[in-house]
Amino acid sequence: MPDPAADPQPSRAPKALGGLAALACVACCALPVLITAGVVGAGAGAVVGWLPALAVVLAVLAAGTWWYGQRRRSCSCAPKTAGQDGCGCKASGDPLKITSAGRR
């Protein structure tokens, strides 16, 4: 399993789930109007009842996925300084060596 502290790319899952939740909210409001106008068939009325619950579930999943991703990346150190444990911030028996070979 890859080291989560060394993974610099944020996950796209919370944004995708949040977008789907927003789409479900828009569809929840737009479908009754479209059914009344005759643009969409009356069979879509069966879906309208489930859309609010679907939007809430997707929003909760988006929030949970975001929270889990933030909790997973608790190390604020750069991946270069990470030791065997994956985080260079922890106190270890060896002193931290500071050299001038960093930036040029």
Side-chain angles (χ1 to χ4, degrees), residues 34-88:
L34 293 175
I35 291 171
T36 304
V39 177
V40 180
V47 178
V48 174
W50 289 94
L51 285 176
L54 179 66
V56 169
V57 168
L58 287 171
V60 167
L61 282 173
T65 307
W66 175 83
W67 176 78
Y68 180 70
Q70 293 299 316
R71 181 179 165 111
R72 209 174 125 211
R73 275 185 253 120
S74 63
C75 180
S76 62
C77 297
K80 279 185 178 178
T81 60
Q84 293 291 343
D85 295 332
C87 185

